[in-house]
Amino acid sequence: MRICVGFLIGNDGVAPKDVIETLERAVDELRFNDISPIVESLTPTDFSDNEAKALLGLLRRKRQFSDLERAASLFTLAGNNAPVVRRQWAQALIDQDRVEQGLCALEAMRRTLAADDDERPEVEGLIGRAHKQRYINHGGEENLIRAISAYRPNWQNRKGDYRWHGINMAALLSRAKKDNVDPIVDDDPRDIAKALRDEIESLPNKDTTIWDAGTAMEASVALGDNADALNWAKRYVSFPKIDAFELASTLRQMKEVWQLDGTELGRKLLPVLECELLQKEGATLEPTTTRIEDTGGFEAVYGPESHVRLRWIDTMYRACHAIARVFNTATGEPFGTGFLIKGSKFNAAWGDDAVFFTNAHVVSPSPADEAQIAPGSASAEFTKLDGRPTVELGELLYTSPRVEYDISVFAIEPPANAETLEPSYYPPAPAQPGQRPQRIYIIGHPKGGDLAVSLYDNSLVGCAKCRAHPDGENCVHYKTPTEGGSSGSPVFNREWKPFAIHHRAVDDLEVNEGILFEPIKMALSP
């Protein structure tokens, strides 16, 4: 049994209202590690349909789709077959890339829902979303046509959240034209976009929602009105309650459907949306660009404060140029992350040339470290540099066993345009009682995939004594979740200065552990 901020996990008989309030606090405070125990503790038969809807909505809002799937399953297994529960379960599947399973569930639901059921437009919208994702993932004209067909009736009949259906119609019809696909229908995407924007512009400010502002922004994209798209972006990101769910959905639409990467508007708009998502700390961001090519978007959205935001996100983008995926040269299989730092920052004898840091349990000559790769067989791929250059790691300059500092440092000939990180030897101070947790960031290659900035539950817990160094606080504990492949990632403070190297998960404490740079520097200094 464990205590979760005033809530006794494992006790029966807790009122649904109290469960929802506890979950809301955990979500708002970004304590995502507490969410699964809360979900597992609920008694589904005690929840009304509205209470179940509220709980599931909280999980969806912060993109906790695994827990959303689990909660919806618990309600269903307890006999709650309310359409809203089944729909949220299907959405959780789609957002975990299990599109076919989600689509089958939605099609089955549609067959059982009456034409006037309030859930029917929601279900049909998600069917459109599933077919849209199939087209994005796999192509196939039929997927695009089916997506348009799913969105069309509720837009035409103005049923349910019809603006959502309408803007997706406009986006997919525009994509069909770009991809030379006959959509079978003769609707004009510009007419739809203009109707949507005109309707939203006629609303009083107090009645304009977050989604309305996002829809008007996207309608302006459809109309080719870049200036108005940025004006609406300013309103969209200024909503106090905008969170990761809205921003991640909008980014996905702009990148995957509208394909704004590399376009004039994309160079202005996408970095603004990515910057906002980084502030919300509710999702993992995979940056698609690592340079600000046009400051116009920041100037339009942030005005006099634009230079502060520009400097902050530009520093993050440049940090990405110093981070690489570590892989086996012979097989190409990825096993971890590493990064570049000037050698003199840790050992004056190494000079100002870049050296490459990673974990000893990723690359090491010692069998005791159980490393996946031996020196001489390791390479680094700089995935955010043009051409994704790969470089073989050179001479092993220093290694410390995984049970001590768990680092290996290599000589390297870095590719052109690679950056080096500027380390900090002092971790951020943990928050005092009553303050919000200190936030930290990890940039790495989770599961060997694309470079990602980890933002979920990235709270600094504090410094601790390492298992091999009980006489000093050489480790830092934090709640940023990391997956295989993140080993060797730099751990950053808010100013994008790395102060530790990610090392391992400490399961019994439910935290992750990094080795602070200060003791590493002391060990490396002659």
Side-chain angles (χ1 to χ4, degrees), residues 398-409:
Y398 177 85
T399 187
S400 174
R402 69 182 300 167
V403 295
E404 294 184 15
Y405 294 124
D406 192 17
I407 60 165
S408 289
V409 184

Side-chain angles (χ1 to χ4, degrees), residues 25-47:
R25 286 197 300 274
V27 165
D28 288 344
E29 294 170 12
L30 307 176
R31 291 183 287 102
F32 295 109
N33 287 341
D34 287 339
I35 289 178
S36 291
I38 294 171
V39 169
E40 293 298 333
S41 75
L42 64 84
T43 305
T45 52
D46 290 346
F47 282 68

Side-chain angles (χ1 to χ4, degrees), residues 190 197 217 219-230 265:
R190 291 181 61 86
R197 194 172 69 176
M217 178 182 69
S220 299
V221 173
L223 293 168
D225 189 342
N226 291 2
D228 210 45
L230 292 172
L265 178 58

